[in-house]
Amino acid sequence: MSHKVFHLPDLGEGLTEAEVVSWLVGPGDTVVVDQPIAVVETAKAQVELPCPYAGSVVTLHGEAGHVVDVGAPFITVDVDVPADGITRGGASEASDVAVDTYREEERAGSGAVLIGYGTSEGSRRRRRRVGAGGPTAPAAGSSLPSAGPVMGDTAAPAVGDTAGTVVGDTAGTVVGDTAGPVVDGRLPAEVSSKPGAAVRVISPLVRQLAAEHGIDLRTVTPTAPGGIIRRCDVMAVVTARGEGGAPGSLAPQSESRVTSTAGSPTPDRRIPLTGIRGTIASRLATSRREIPDATTWVDVDATDFLAVRRQLADARPEARIGVLALLGRVMVAGLRRYPELNSTVDTAANEVVVRGAINLGFAAQSPRGLVVPVVHGADEMTLAELSTALRELTTKAMDGTLSPAEMTGGTFTLNNYGGYGVDGSTPIINHPEAAMVGVGRMIDKPWVVDGALAVRKVGTIGLTFDHRVCDGGTAGGFIRYVADCIERPTTLLLDL
């Protein structure tokens, strides 16, 4: 026998470790090159990890919930057993060629190493994990409350990827509506999938949804670029079969519960702050600790602004210009006029760094909670291009397929929390940025127009900013300019 050990590759973006969320294969299973073998979560995203070897799985180096360092053994494959199960000479050589190509792509930074990932050529930095213990059962999906709205003109937020709830501290005990038993941290396989067969699915939620409805993913027609199967593709099959299912057929987070005996109090649950949730928690804490923030706000008459949105929809329906895109265009114009708010503070050099490009982040809902996708180079885009970019990133956020590059590098954040029926807020700045604008709901309110009382669409615009990068005059000038553009959208023509 010839065993090959696949070590966790360099995931790029300075990442040095990943947590095993679930295994898609087990010992004895046959795999082919590039077949997804596990779902891993880093501090930036949750993705499927493909295998560079073809053969039979011998060992899984770590259970679900384990954190694996980059370069550590991940899976061992017997390459003498090819995917068709027939032992033959030359299988080892073919697998060696495949993994050599894989490693060359990794070192070259081709972006082909992981689905949804790029690679980096920089040196790896390893850090020791404190208090690493034995295997623990991971919390399946995020049960933390979301902190922001779905952006733009999108469907309702995707429900959580809850596959069950761990009872107390007992690993392996699962409660809730699941697609099947969770064994050794592995999710149920797709119905009728043959050993070694790989389908182009990025989101584990899509696999779970298909399993719950008994759908063979190989029979699903993909609609996304590159032949990737998404949630909507699976739901189209469900609808065609007349099952009456909906994306909400996944067990919602609110239904996750721990069992308790009659008369006994419900035990506490501990939810690990790992992966993306851990990164968000750390960043918010750093922001509150380091940034001396201040907030200013103003009420605006958005009647004409919303009228312009309807006029654009009538004139260019194919562009699908939404409120978020128009707000984003206003933010870009404001940042050009007040560039101090498009900056960051270099504490090591004791300098304020004013960013040249405007990379617009916006709060969006994902299966694992609030994320902030980034539209890079928003200042170089037309309104139609900005609308397309926002719409595509929102869809990826809801599908859980955002790449690390699409969630990093922001210079300013827009948060449209009005989607939750909220009027105002004092948000926490997305560290290391220096400012964030929040937009409340725009509803009918009494408003004085030309000395007479009228009913207008009124909303609240709030700016939270780092007082180190500017004073109140700059912040006030920015928020007033934004308000003027919303109340009189033709003002934007002056800066085109």
Side-chain angles (χ1 to χ4, degrees):
M1 297 193 304
S2 177
H3 291 177
K4 293 290 185 180
V5 179
F6 172 44
H7 297 80
L8 184 67
D10 181 358
L11 305 179
E13 297 288 332
L15 303 174
T16 60
E17 62 188 19
E19 178 183 345
V20 180
V21 176
S22 62
W23 288 99
L24 305 180
V25 297
D29 290 352
T30 54
V31 293
V32 296
V33 174
D34 283 340
Q35 175 182 340
I37 54 175
V39 178
V40 298
E41 183 174 61
T42 69
K44 301 292 180 63
Q46 186 178 99
V47 295
E48 290 178 348
L49 185 65
C51 183
Y53 298 114
S56 176
V57 176
V58 177
T59 306
L60 306 178
H61 297 280
E63 300 181 9
H66 274 192
V67 175
V68 182
D69 289 332
V70 169
F74 191 76
I75 190 172
T76 299
V77 178
D78 181 4
V79 297
D80 283 341
V81 182
D84 58 10
I86 303 175
T87 302
R88 60 168 65 90
S92 177
E93 290 80 356
S95 187
D96 286 342
V97 171
V99 77
D100 287 344
T101 302
Y102 182 94
R103 288 300 185 188
E104 288 174 6
E105 291 174 345
E106 178 188 343
R107 290 192 295 268
S110 67
V113 177
L114 290 178
I115 300 173
Y117 267 88
T119 58
S120 65
E121 206 172 347
S123 60
R124 298 171 181 165
R125 291 186 299 171
R126 302 282 294 278
R127 60 188 176 92
R128 184 183 303 274
R129 292 188 58 81
V130 179
T136 58
S142 172
S143 58
L144 295 175
S146 58
V150 175
M151 291 290 98
D153 303 328
T154 62
V159 293
D161 51 347
T162 306
T165 304
V166 178
V167 181
D169 296 327
T170 306
T173 305
V174 178
V175 183
D177 301 326
T178 61
V182 178
V183 181
D184 296 332
R186 296 170 54 198
L187 293 177
E190 296 86 1
V191 175
S192 302
S193 59
K194 296 184 297 184
V199 290
R200 295 187 63 80
V201 180
I202 293 178
S203 173
L205 300 178
V206 176
R207 292 183 182 274
Q208 182 179 344
L209 183 62
E212 289 185 352
H213 289 282
I215 297 173
D216 185 347
L217 284 171
R218 292 172 300 159
T219 66
V220 178
T221 301
T223 58
I228 296 175
I229 298 174
R230 299 188 301 176
R231 180 194 301 268
C232 60
D233 302 325
V234 175
M235 290 312 304
V237 176
V238 173
T239 302
R241 285 163 49 169
E243 294 186 16
S249 60
L250 288 177
Q253 294 173 358
S254 59
E255 292 182 2
S256 297
R257 58 191 181 276
V258 293
T259 58
S260 60
T261 58
S264 64
T266 301
D268 296 338
R269 286 193 301 146
R270 291 182 176 269
I271 303 172
L273 287 176
T274 58
I276 293 177
R277 290 304 315 174
T279 300
I280 293 173
S282 176
R283 185 170 295 174
L284 294 177
T286 300
S287 178
R288 273 291 187 233
R289 185 171 57 250
E290 294 186 1
I291 298 178
D293 58 349
T295 300
T296 182
W297 60 89
V298 61
D299 291 337
V300 296
D301 178 2
T303 305
D304 292 343
F305 180 79
L306 296 177
V308 167
R309 189 262 181 189
R310 291 191 295 270
Q311 292 168 8
L312 289 172
D314 293 338
R316 291 278 303 277
E318 74 283 357
R320 298 169 62 185
I321 306 297
V323 171
L324 183 64
L326 285 172
L327 289 172
R329 174 52 60 201
V330 172
M331 298 305 125
V332 169
L335 292 173
R336 283 174 174 168
R337 180 166 292 201
Y338 299 92
E340 297 91 340
L341 293 169
N342 191 56
S343 62
T344 187
V345 176
D346 185 343
T347 55
N350 199 28
E351 295 176 341
V352 174
V353 181
V354 179
R355 301 294 189 182
I358 298 176
N359 299 331
L360 183 65
F362 64 100
Q365 196 66 31
S366 79
R368 297 183 306 281
L370 185 71
V371 294
V372 183
V374 178
V375 179
H376 292 266
D379 52 323
E380 301 295 330
M381 295 181 177
T382 65
L383 177 59
E385 291 170 341
L386 180 60
S387 178
T388 299
L390 290 168
R391 190 165 57 250
E392 291 176 350
L393 288 173
T394 299
T395 300
K396 287 186 176 182
M398 294 179 66
D399 289 343
T401 60
L402 287 168
S403 70
E406 292 169 329
M407 292 191 291
T408 55
T411 61
F412 185 90
T413 297
L414 170 63
N415 189 355
N416 182 19
Y417 43 70
Y420 279 156
V422 176
D423 293 325
S425 175
T426 55
I428 300 176
I429 295 174
N430 187 21
H431 184 274
E433 298 171 13
M436 172 186 290
V437 161
V439 181
R441 58 178 180 167
M442 299 176 182
I443 59 175
D444 291 336
K445 286 185 178 181
W447 193 262
V448 176
V449 180
D450 297 329
L453 194 62
V455 177
R456 308 284 285 182
K457 293 292 185 181
V458 179
T460 301
I461 310 297
L463 168 67
T464 298
F465 63 99
D466 186 338
H467 229 313
R468 295 174 297 179
V469 305
C470 69
D471 55 23
T474 299
F478 174 85
I479 196 66
R480 187 64 254 172
Y481 175 80
V482 168
D484 290 343
C485 289
I486 292 176
E487 292 185 337
R488 297 184 296 276
T490 52
T491 305
L492 286 171
L493 296 175
L494 297 174
D495 296 313
L496 293 180

